[in-house]
Amino acid sequence: MESLADLDARLAGCAACPRLVAWREEVARTKRAAFADWTYWGRPVPGFGPADARLLIVGLAPAAHGGNRTGRMFTGDRSGDVLYQALYDVGLASQPTSVRAGDGLELSGVRVTAPVHCAPPANKPTPGERDTCRSWLVQELRLLRPTLRAAVVLGAFGWQAALPAFTEAGWTVPRPRPVFGHGAHVRLAAPGDAHGSGGGEVSSGLDVFGCFHVSQRNTFTGRLTPAMLREVLRTAATAAGLPHRT
């Protein structure tokens, strides 16, 4: 891939997982009553954010009536409401809401992606679907390598999916593999830019931070509070060298 734009365009046409293809298209046809007037995206959802991002946020997968409807990661559902409000609060997003593509939202030095790009039934991709989709995340990471300095991984599923992708993209994950936890931090070494993704800054090590997922189960029960999320984002922004609000 020559650019993230090329990658995103090719990703949106992926049909590698029959179960996910059937589900995303069924949801797009039947819709939810509240969104009956929407034309659902109904395809794999690309990452969102600038190509020179210094901080990457890795989720799980698009929501059936969120990203699968709007075509943008964490957009149009309650999880996205929590995430983008926190990014805005710490000065990494231009506005606190993400309603639809083209709504004016811009991220500052941050890109948002997921290890699975199609909405899965019950929000649960299978291990096989996760592994099939990994190549897209690996290619995205390789293209981001010249500038990427930190990553926030949301939830245990994302953590388990992201660490092998970081390895394939050229960083060195310690052994034994780091365990997920909220506030977990591991630094991945980069022993040379083996995949040479082109110009920009020289590839460097990567600081990876764990954070509870912004799911309704976590945010409604208080397992993850806005203050906890903001703290992780501030810590990661500092590691990435991004200016932010304290």
Side-chain angles (χ1 to χ4, degrees):
M1 295 293 175
E2 294 184 0
S3 70
L4 277 173
D6 294 335
L7 178 71
D8 292 346
R10 286 191 56 185
L11 184 152
C14 182
C17 300
R19 187 182 80 113
L20 298 187
V21 171
W23 174 250
R24 78 194 189 203
E25 293 180 354
E26 178 185 346
V27 170
R29 282 194 306 271
T30 58
K31 306 181 182 181
R32 178 176 283 172
F35 306 121
D37 60 340
W38 275 77
T39 299
Y40 274 52
W41 173 257
R43 289 180 279 165
V45 181
F48 171 60
D52 61 350
R54 298 182 68 89
L55 171 60
L56 184 67
I57 297 175
V58 182
L60 191 162
H65 302 282
N68 189 56
R69 170 173 59 91
T70 63
R72 191 164 76 189
M73 282 289 175
F74 282 105
T75 296
D77 60 24
R78 291 178 184 263
S79 295
D81 293 344
V82 173
L83 177 62
Y84 288 114
Q85 178 70 61
L87 286 168
Y88 175 78
D89 289 343
V90 301
L92 299 175
S94 63
Q95 61 190 43
T97 58
S98 183
V99 178
R100 65 178 71 220
D103 61 5
L105 175 65
E106 295 182 358
L107 301 182
S108 301
V110 178
R111 185 171 170 88
V112 182
T113 193
V116 175
H117 286 272
C118 291
N123 291 322
K124 292 181 179 179
T126 67
E129 290 162 351
R130 174 200 64 200
D131 295 345
T132 297
C133 207
R134 181 180 298 147
S135 64
W136 294 111
L137 179 57
V138 171
Q139 291 177 80
E140 188 172 16
L141 288 167
R142 288 175 179 171
L143 289 166
L144 289 168
R145 274 193 60 166
T147 57
L148 194 63
R149 296 294 176 268
V152 172
V153 182
L154 303 173
F157 181 95
W159 187 266
Q160 293 165 1
L163 291 182
F166 289 136
T167 298
E168 288 188 43
W171 286 281
T172 301
V173 175
R175 291 185 179 277
R177 184 176 291 179
V179 176
F180 172 77
H182 183 81
H185 172 221
V186 58
R187 181 159 177 84
L188 311 185
D193 194 4
H195 299 286
S197 48
E201 300 177 28
V202 176
S203 181
S204 182
L206 188 72
D207 287 289
V208 180
F209 300 89
C211 178
F212 290 144
H213 196 279
V214 288
S215 66
Q216 291 186 51
R217 176 182 298 178
N218 286 341
T219 57
F220 283 5
T221 61
R223 188 175 191 228
L224 177 67
T225 66
M228 291 167 63
L229 178 56
R230 290 193 298 267
E231 181 60 27
V232 173
L233 292 174
R234 289 191 186 103
T235 303
T238 298
L242 287 174
H244 59 283
R245 288 193 286 266
T246 58

